[in-house]
Amino acid sequence: MSAILWAWAIPTAKAAIIADGHGLRATVYNGGVSTTKACGTVIYHQLALNVPLDTLFTYAHPHRLPEGTRVAVPFRGKTVAALVWAADVAAEIDSAKIRPIAQVFDHEPPLDADWRALLQFAARYYHYPLGQAVFAALPQGLREARPVAPPPVAQSFVLSATGLAQAAPKAHHRKQLALWQALQQGALSLSAAKALHTQAPSLFKQWQEQGWLNAIASPAHGAVPPSPHVLNEEQQAASQAVQAACGGFAPFLLHGITGSGKTEVYFDIMAKVLAAGQRVLFLLPEINLTPQLLARVQQRFPHTRTAVLHSQAAAGARTQDYLRAQSGQAALVVGTRLAVFTPLRQLGLVVVDEEHDSSFKQDSDLRYQARDLAVWRAQQAACPIVLGSATPSLESWHKARHGDYRLLSLSQRAHHAAALPQIVLADVRRQKLDNGFSAQALALLQQNHAQGGMSMVYLNRRGFAPALFCGDCGHTFGCPHCSAKMVLHQQARQLRCHHCDFRQPIPRICPDCGNQDLTAVGHGTQRVEETLRQALPGAAVVRVDRDSTARKQDWAQLYERIDAGAVDVLVGTQMLAKGHDFARLNLVLVLNADGSLYSADFRAPERLFAELMQVAGRAGRADAPGRVLVQTQLPDHAVFQALKAQDYPRFADAELAARQSLGLPPFAFVAAIRADAPSMSEAVAFLSLIIDEQANGFRLPETVSQFGPVPMLMARLAGRERAQVFLESTRRRDLHHGIGLWRQLLRHFETTHRTIRWSIDVDPTDI
Ligand code: ADP
Ligand code: ZN
């Protein structure tokens, strides 16, 4: 029971004195924020704060706040945002020291229990402070100690009873009539109306004044126009299998070769789930969130309100989209890894496209794997999840082979005219190469250009960075801050580190021997471009790299040029491999594919295979049959043999057998404990100290093995040196127990080792 004893209001603020079971309190409401002063009892709340500590913090408030409410509190002399994690708790510290919550953002809906459970899980699984995990999952606007305005409610218009009784506009007012007829069918958004008649806003205003039209909040989801394609048998079977599983947790791995129509399968299931009034979460790799894909979603779901969440979105827009998803105003959430944290009610389907892509792993702060969290969310929401890829991660393939995931296969290209590309291996072992090109490759490019085809020259980024070296003494230029070699950027006349972005002008003389004639080695995109211009005079050669596509509109412009047939040869790195659909492209040339096979990273063959299958998939997407030429010095290597046969299962099963014999993931669970310091010896000493400490009492579980400390492959980064210890176990529970022990010791020793920074990476993908 509560009673309002006194209330007062002016246009900008309201105040009330309220009496209830907790005593008397005075509350002032002002622009979406309420400030309350207790006059009687207080309720203690545990709050999550964005600080690197494992604890929650207790603050007081006169009445019980819903869990998940955003508030502002005083902390270390500042006012910071916090999230109510538990309400009505006992005071754990001296109650005199507990400070009051300064502001309650009670106009914002609280983050619900499912969302909080997801974050609780993520923080525990990745051994990361809960408060920091919570704030890492929120968009910028919600991390600040300020209220955010709710997103404007999009309006639609419906005919009132009076409106329905009116005679239709005269036939010669054609556009007006079209508008009227559309309204007879049901609610119409202003944008849909404007598409029919540019005068719609003023007409609607007039009709509203006449009482013919009512404004309502736009529905989150409207009719889905029929698909332009009839699904083929395999697509149909895949879609049906997932639909039949709706209503319960069911993980699927959709393995479909590139161009087999996976996206159409997702769309088909999405349409059904949305029509049932449920929400869909659609995750894509960083690089795939192209205007092309978004346009495809827009085209297929024009009346579905979609929130687009990715790291490049402007902070304000991201916050608004987040809130629209949370409030249920958006029915479809499309986004990159961070979108996995979007609060959604009535989640009915999760899709992870290109599930093998490395961008689903976050490599700093909360080091989460969005694909794994997506599976967790589907389980929580009791709904199906579809992980799709032409080259699934070996983790997912392993699960499908063992029946943990249901395997759905699309074995043919969907477009009837699109045959699989033909993959040819070019053995370049005893050949003299012209800036990386074999004579055969150049001849093919020339021939294709002469016949009006479009080609792509794909550079495997590993082992392909152009560098500067001294031909006399062999000096190479390493980054002074990292263990990386500096990359030569001819146009900018600079050497750049691609790991920490250190830059310096190209040196004129060798610092070791004084030689003034330094040589450029490697075939960076620029040198390849030069060679192509000479070999193909008259061809339009376009280089695609991070620099040339830095801005959002760069891709759009590139697509326009390609669509207009104004590009003959594309040159680029893995940015070109994924997701792009270029109808005229019919020849792909892969230079220097071998580099990553010499890598110490056990995932290098998996990545190379995926990359090359992807890039091969770019060729011959529509009517022109595609050809792929892969230059290699190792034509007999299993990766290239499987590639030539375009046989992912063959590759995956062989690779899994190798991993099993070596006890590598997915046959073991791994965590990396990392430390960095100004010098390697400090980093190593710190980790060794903890290993020594374990002898005094702490015991790792029997199944957990410990390796290291060792320097990381990229041992220096941004002026710091990095070492790591690996923990491995065949039992996940034991591994987590071991990580927990490590963490206690790290916490203990960090206080006396101020130069050290440490982190824990569970299921690491970098070594
Ligand atoms: P994926 O996602 O597997 O690479 P997409 O869904 O992008 O494949 O489909 C590849 C191409 O085939 C697209 O141009 C798409 O429009 C077309 N397509 C997909 N399904 C069908 C179908 N059932 N019939 C005809 N064309 C189709
Ligand atoms: Zn560097």
Side-chain angles (χ1 to χ4, degrees):
M1 250 307 262
S2 74
I4 298 176
L5 302 182
W6 177 84
W8 161 85
I10 57 168
T12 52
K14 285 186 287 189
I17 294 180
I18 298 166
D20 60 19
H22 300 300
L24 268 184
R25 64 181 192 272
T27 300
V28 178
Y29 300 93
N30 193 349
V33 177
S34 66
T35 315
T36 302
K37 289 255 180 319
C39 326
T41 50
V42 289
I43 306 280
Y44 298 118
H45 295 78
Q46 275 185 335
L47 309 185
L49 267 68
N50 194 10
V51 292
L53 296 171
D54 292 324
T55 47
L56 293 166
F57 295 83
T58 306
Y59 282 84
H61 197 66
H63 58 97
R64 190 182 198 286
L65 293 171
E67 281 149 5
T69 304
R70 235 164 51 82
V71 298
V73 294
F75 185 78
R76 294 186 182 155
K78 283 193 289 193
T79 302
V80 300
L83 200 73
V84 176
W85 209 257
D88 217 353
V89 297
E92 283 166 355
I93 54 170
D94 177 4
S95 60
K97 286 192 184 146
I98 299 180
R99 306 177 66 184
I101 289 173
Q103 284 188 318
V104 179
F105 304 127
D106 42 15
H107 277 214
E108 299 167 25
L111 287 145
D112 65 21
D114 278 353
W115 188 89
R116 283 178 277 123
L118 171 69
L119 269 298
Q120 191 98 46
F121 169 77
R124 198 178 65 230
Y125 186 88
Y126 295 108
H127 296 263
Y128 198 69
L130 175 64
Q132 279 185 305
V134 162
F135 281 86
L138 291 174
Q140 188 55 42
L142 298 179
R143 289 180 204 164
E144 287 166 13
R146 277 187 269 130
V148 292
V153 176
Q155 284 190 330
S156 288
F157 297 87
V158 283
L159 284 172
S160 66
T162 345
L164 278 166
Q166 298 302 314
K170 297 255 161 40
H172 66 269
H173 292 131
R174 264 191 305 121
K175 286 184 171 173
Q176 205 166 323
L177 183 61
L179 207 53
W180 190 261
Q181 281 164 344
L183 282 167
Q184 305 282 331
Q185 308 295 313
L188 204 59
S189 71
L190 206 53
S191 57
K194 271 195 261 184
L196 292 171
H197 193 349
T198 48
Q199 303 296 310
S202 64
L203 266 175
F204 274 18
K205 193 154 169 267
Q206 194 186 321
W207 290 347
Q208 241 182 311
E209 279 162 10
Q210 282 164 309
W212 299 351
L213 272 190
N214 289 329
I216 56 164
S218 291
H221 177 66
V224 179
S227 161
H229 304 297
V230 178
L231 295 191
N232 63 35
E233 238 168 75
E234 284 182 324
Q235 287 174 311
Q236 191 77 41
S239 175
Q240 291 296 335
V242 179
Q243 285 178 44
C246 281
F249 171 59
F252 292 90
L253 178 61
L254 176 61
H255 171 230
I257 61 169
T258 46
S260 60
K262 293 184 288 297
T263 312
E264 294 300 323
V265 173
Y266 307 144
F267 283 0
D268 194 54
I269 308 163
M270 281 156 65
K272 300 295 182 330
V273 170
L274 290 167
Q278 289 186 300
R279 309 296 191 231
V280 174
L281 175 62
F282 188 172
L283 300 181
L284 300 154
E286 211 67 73
I287 212 159
N288 260 44
L289 202 65
T290 56
Q292 242 182 351
L293 193 278
L294 286 180
R296 230 173 129 179
V297 171
Q298 203 85 67
Q299 214 168 46
R300 191 60 198 282
F301 300 100
H303 308 301
T304 303
R305 306 197 54 212
T306 305
V308 180
L309 289 154
H310 59 97
S311 51
Q312 270 105 54
R318 229 186 102 194
T319 303
Q320 293 289 304
D321 268 353
Y322 196 88
L323 292 173
R324 289 201 300 126
Q326 183 188 8
S327 66
Q329 286 187 57
L332 172 59
V333 172
V334 181
T336 53
R337 65 172 177 266
L338 53 83
V340 78
F341 293 114
T342 314
L344 275 164
R345 275 172 288 164
Q346 296 167 285
L347 181 58
L349 174 71
V350 183
V351 175
V352 183
D353 189 26
E354 309 289 358
E355 66 92 36
H356 66 282
D357 194 272
S358 57
S359 74
F360 286 119
K361 177 73 161 61
Q362 161 92 18
D363 274 325
S364 61
D365 309 317
L366 175 63
R367 291 170 167 77
Y368 62 96
Q369 166 54 267
R371 182 216 313 143
D372 295 344
L373 288 181
V375 173
W376 193 91
R377 276 198 86 163
Q379 190 155 23
Q380 177 191 48
C383 74
I385 175 166
V386 182
L387 309 175
S389 176
T391 51
S393 63
L394 288 183
E395 279 80 4
S396 297
W397 185 253
H398 180 59
K399 288 202 172 100
R401 280 290 195 226
H402 281 256
D404 294 339
Y405 293 172
R406 261 184 72 189
L407 181 64
L408 306 169
S409 297
L410 305 180
S411 59
Q412 260 136 45
R413 286 202 152 178
H415 199 287
H416 59 92
L420 269 182
Q422 188 199 2
I423 299 184
V424 178
L425 302 176
D427 181 353
V428 293
R429 266 176 293 194
R430 270 172 293 277
Q431 291 194 29
K432 190 172 167 345
L433 302 180
D434 177 3
N435 270 332
F437 290 90
S438 63
Q440 183 190 1
L442 284 177
L444 261 179
L445 286 167
Q446 282 160 343
Q447 186 196 19
N448 196 44
H449 177 55
Q451 292 169 354
M454 176 176 157
S455 308
M456 181 197 291
V457 174
Y458 181 75
L459 309 169
N460 180 29
R461 87 197 120 136
R462 294 169 190 91
F464 225 94
L468 198 64
F469 90 113
C470 171
D472 279 3
C473 76
H475 178 87
T476 57
F477 293 83
C479 170
H481 306 294
C482 304
S483 53
K485 291 271 179 261
M486 301 283 280
V487 176
L488 181 62
H489 285 247
Q490 288 280 22
Q491 257 168 352
R493 309 287 309 152
Q494 279 181 331
L495 293 179
R496 291 186 193 166
C497 171
H498 282 202
H499 288 279
C500 73
D501 209 33
F502 174 78
R503 294 162 183 216
Q504 69 178 64
I506 296 179
R508 290 182 197 287
I509 55 166
C510 172
D512 270 3
C513 70
N515 170 23
Q516 300 198 358
D517 188 20
L518 297 172
T519 324
V521 288
H523 308 276
T525 48
Q526 282 141 6
R527 289 181 62 86
V528 163
E529 204 182 339
E530 280 164 32
T531 310
L532 284 170
R533 285 192 205 290
Q534 277 164 21
L536 300 165
V541 177
V542 173
R543 178 163 49 89
V544 180
D545 59 22
R546 229 173 278 274
D547 292 341
S548 66
T549 56
R551 295 168 312 149
K552 246 188 279 172
Q553 64 268 38
D554 291 340
W555 274 114
Q557 282 167 6
L558 179 64
Y559 282 125
E560 272 171 32
R561 288 181 64 188
I562 293 172
D563 282 345
V567 176
D568 298 313
V569 184
L570 276 175
V571 182
T573 55
Q574 76 278 9
M575 301 190 77
L576 282 177
K578 295 161 189 171
H580 314 296
D581 226 334
F582 306 127
R584 199 164 63 93
L585 181 70
N586 61 342
L587 175 65
V588 174
L589 178 66
V590 180
L591 298 187
N592 191 13
D594 304 337
S596 49
L597 295 180
Y598 300 113
S599 165
D601 183 350
F602 69 86
R603 285 194 175 83
E606 179 182 352
R607 292 199 184 118
L608 178 68
F609 186 84
E611 233 167 84
L612 295 187
M613 284 292 277
Q614 291 273 351
V615 82
R618 298 303 116 216
R621 300 275 290 180
D623 323 312
R627 265 182 308 177
V628 181
L629 185 74
V630 182
Q631 289 190 175
T632 171
Q633 314 233 16
L634 305 161
D636 301 323
H637 196 286
V639 172
F640 293 123
Q641 288 301 317
L643 182 75
K644 193 173 145 195
Q646 301 184 54
D647 190 345
Y648 169 81
R650 172 168 149 191
F651 165 77
D653 292 338
E655 191 67 17
L656 276 176
R659 296 252 189 111
Q660 184 163 29
S661 70
L662 296 167
L664 291 169
F667 299 93
F669 304 110
V670 179
I673 315 274
R674 305 208 170 111
D676 63 74
S679 75
M680 182 58 74
S681 57
E682 280 173 89
V684 166
F686 179 72
L687 293 171
S688 302
L689 176 72
I690 293 177
I691 290 173
D692 293 343
E693 191 64 22
Q694 287 166 7
N696 310 323
F698 279 102
R699 284 258 325 260
L700 288 175
E702 298 256 299
T703 69
V704 178
S705 336
Q706 184 164 277
F707 305 93
V710 289
M712 287 185 67
L713 265 190
M714 177 59 58
R716 282 178 69 96
L717 188 67
R720 296 182 61 94
E721 307 214 310
R722 312 187 298 163
Q724 61 189 345
V725 167
F726 288 109
L727 301 183
E728 277 184 27
S729 175
T730 50
R731 290 165 61 171
R732 219 184 250 294
R733 185 182 289 268
D734 287 356
L735 177 70
H736 281 282
H737 185 66
I739 301 169
L741 292 178
W742 257 94
R743 199 154 181 273
Q744 287 177 32
L745 294 170
L746 289 162
R747 281 281 190 223
H748 177 73
F749 285 106
E750 72 182 357
T751 53
T752 48
H753 293 72
R754 293 285 180 193
T755 58
I756 302 282
R757 289 189 316 216
W758 59 267
S759 63
I760 292 170
D761 195 348
V762 181
D763 308 326
T765 48
D766 276 350
I767 65 165

